[in-house]
Amino acid sequence: MLKALADLERHMLLDPSVGGAKGIPDLVTQVNRLLHNNDPRWAQMPDDPQYVGGLLFTYMMSNPIPGALKEFVDTDERIANLVFYYKDHQGETIRRAIHSAKQWIADNEGRVEGLSIRLAGGTIGVIAAQNEAAFETNLWVLPLVFLLIFLFVTFFYSSLMAGVMMFGAMLFATTLTYGYMGLAAMGINSNTVPIIAVGVGIGIDYSIYMMDRIRAEMVAARTSPLRCAAPSTPRAWPSASPPSP
């Protein structure tokens, strides 16, 4: 089990964005090294499980405070904590970290009996969970928003053409938005989804303002008594000569 965790740690450390890691494999190897005169050759994982238990007991008993192993394992020694420290929290770093971890889990989790890897919290984990939820939700929310816009506009204006015009305008603007995000390598995450939603909301508001203004002008044109018609008979315009005395 510990060798599998050590292999996971080595796999994750291949990412240049990882600055370091902390877990029980590091603790066991370092205690093993210290008990052999700090010889670097002993910084390795022992093959004997009882020897590993002895190393953990030695570390726990030599610690001045109780609960020295709580940051590495639980009290029943059934759950181990493996922490990775990243240099930044950018979207590409988060996606690469989650992909790397899931790749190792898919390839190695079933090879060790009883081993189960779960992606926990931390800044990277929380942001990754938010991004995944935002991406999955966005696949459903945006089409439903467009459908509701089309239905409500068609109903309130009693015009299928008005609904089509609104839907077409918003679809065109949103397509350009996602196209630019793809060219700029911007992912759909908890930061970009609210901006897209605000853009759709403001866009449909101004579209409704313009549509309502167009309808008001059309109604005014049909009901206004003023008409711009050409005169039926020519008029006699006054002469430019001065009047007679």
Side-chain angles (χ1 to χ4, degrees):
M1 192 76 68
L2 292 179
K3 288 183 177 180
L5 294 179
D7 184 69
L8 171 59
E9 184 175 336
R10 286 192 296 269
H11 174 76
M12 298 296 293
L13 288 175
L14 294 176
D15 190 343
S17 299
V18 180
K22 182 179 69 174
I24 193 169
D26 305 302
L27 175 64
V28 172
T29 55
Q30 291 302 317
V31 173
N32 192 26
R33 172 180 174 175
L34 290 174
L35 291 180
H36 291 85
N37 298 320
N38 203 22
D39 190 343
R41 294 176 296 178
W42 286 92
Q44 55 182 302
M45 187 73 62
D47 294 328
D48 188 0
Q50 292 184 355
Y51 189 79
V52 172
L55 294 176
L56 294 177
F57 180 78
T58 302
Y59 174 78
M60 182 174 58
M61 296 304 297
S62 62
N63 202 287
I65 58 174
L69 294 177
K70 287 184 178 179
E71 62 176 328
F72 299 100
V73 293
D74 65 335
T75 55
D76 296 330
E77 297 182 356
R78 303 293 299 173
I79 302 176
N81 188 31
L82 191 59
V83 182
F84 298 97
Y85 300 94
Y86 282 81
K87 301 176 182 178
D88 59 75
H89 301 149
Q90 297 180 2
E92 182 61 29
T93 302
I94 296 174
R95 287 191 293 269
R96 189 169 58 249
I98 299 300
H99 174 75
S100 181
K102 289 183 176 180
Q103 183 182 22
W104 189 94
I105 293 173
D107 296 338
N108 299 275
E109 192 173 36
R111 297 181 180 180
V112 179
E113 183 180 357
L115 177 63
S116 178
I117 304 295
R118 294 293 179 266
L119 302 181
T123 305
I124 294 289
V126 171
I127 296 178
Q130 292 177 352
N131 293 347
E132 290 180 358
F135 179 80
E136 295 175 359
T137 304
N138 191 68
L139 297 178
W140 290 95
V141 170
L142 202 60
L144 291 177
V145 168
F146 283 167
L147 179 61
L148 288 177
I149 289 174
F150 173 76
L151 293 178
F152 281 124
V153 170
T154 302
F155 174 76
F156 284 111
Y157 282 95
S158 300
S159 172
L160 180 63
M161 183 57 63
V164 172
M165 291 176 61
M166 294 284 190
F167 179 82
M170 296 309 304
L171 182 63
F172 178 73
T174 307
T175 302
L176 288 181
T177 301
Y178 281 111
Y180 173 76
M181 290 174 60
L183 294 176
M186 298 172 56
I188 300 177
N189 51 49
S190 57
N191 296 321
T192 57
V193 166
I195 303 301
I196 298 173
V198 170
V200 172
I202 295 178
I204 191 60
D205 285 346
Y206 280 97
S207 299
I208 291 175
Y209 299 156
M210 294 179 64
M211 183 67 68
D212 204 65
R213 180 63 177 176
I214 292 173
R215 187 178 68 170
E217 291 293 335
M218 293 177 62
V219 172
R222 289 195 301 265
T223 59
S224 176
L226 298 179
R227 293 290 183 271
C228 296
S232 57
T233 56
R235 295 181 180 180
W237 296 97
S239 175
S241 58
S244 58

